[in-house]
Amino acid sequence: MKGLIALLSITILITACSQNTNRQEFAKAENASPAPAVTPKQSAAGMKLTKPTELLPEITEKYSGIKIEAVNKNDGSKIEITAPFGQKIPIGSTGLEITTSSYFTSFTMVDGGVKNVSMEESNPAAKVIITDNGSQLFDGWLFQEYPDMHPFEHPVWKVVLAGAVKK
């Protein structure tokens, strides 16, 4: 019983102390000056911080689109297509269509966004929109090296990034 009372006392003390800290931090935040305007940032490799739907000139100089593979979950059959940047195209006879809005050869997440840290194909990723009869089913990133990270979910088809199409 004494142990339970001691544990309860410590919990109350910690809660009380942390509430005071939170109030002080909140008051500081209220009195702080507004955040400065965000300007494009550069990576060590000189690549700027981008919006996910932006195609970098360095990418479009070297690549014209991406390679997509659609795997039928029921029978294992595969459909491979080339998806040019910015164009909505059918994924074979699946009834699905894909639009590629961005491609990074070396995708990384940073505070405030995403960026391509180099032109070396170390972590290829493509920002795509997948639709079915005009209804958007997916708007996200497909990762070539990590196809199960934030995958496209569909009852029949698994759509993965298979690579990029060089010019």
Side-chain angles (χ1 to χ4, degrees):
M1 186 66 161
K2 289 182 182 181
L4 182 59
I5 293 173
L7 181 61
L8 220 66
S9 298
I10 291 171
T11 303
I12 292 171
L13 179 63
I14 290 172
T15 303
C17 289
S18 68
Q19 286 178 347
N20 189 32
T21 301
N22 289 341
R23 284 191 195 120
Q24 290 172 352
E25 289 173 2
F26 183 71
K28 285 180 188 176
E30 281 183 333
N31 295 330
S33 60
V38 177
T39 58
K41 298 179 183 178
Q42 298 284 329
S43 71
M47 303 287 182
K48 74 174 187 169
L49 183 67
T50 66
K51 297 177 182 175
T53 56
E54 185 177 354
L55 273 166
L56 300 172
E58 307 89 77
I59 297 291
T60 57
E61 286 173 12
K62 189 173 179 180
Y63 302 97
S64 61
I66 60 172
K67 297 175 197 170
I68 292 293
E69 185 176 89
V71 180
N72 187 311
K73 295 178 183 179
N74 298 325
D75 64 15
S77 61
K78 296 179 183 180
I79 297 172
E80 294 183 10
I81 64 156
T82 298
F85 296 137
Q87 296 179 23
K88 181 187 259 189
I89 64 159
I91 303 176
S93 59
T94 65
L96 304 173
E97 293 180 311
I98 189 166
T99 306
T100 307
S101 59
S102 190
Y103 174 74
F104 289 173
T105 51
S106 187
F107 176 96
T108 191
M109 293 182 72
V110 294
D111 288 341
V114 296
K115 67 179 171 181
N116 194 46
V117 293
S118 81
M119 288 302 291
E120 183 178 323
E121 293 183 25
S122 58
N123 188 25
K127 177 83 164 69
V128 300
I129 296 172
I130 299 176
T131 57
D132 185 5
N133 293 319
S135 297
Q136 183 174 303
L137 301 178
F138 182 78
D139 182 7
W141 289 92
L142 297 177
F143 296 90
Q144 184 175 340
E145 301 298 319
Y146 306 98
D148 294 327
M149 181 183 294
H150 308 292
F152 166 65
E153 301 290 339
H154 189 270
V156 178
W157 297 100
K158 178 178 183 176
V159 177
V160 297
L161 175 62
V165 178
K166 291 184 179 179
K167 287 186 174 179

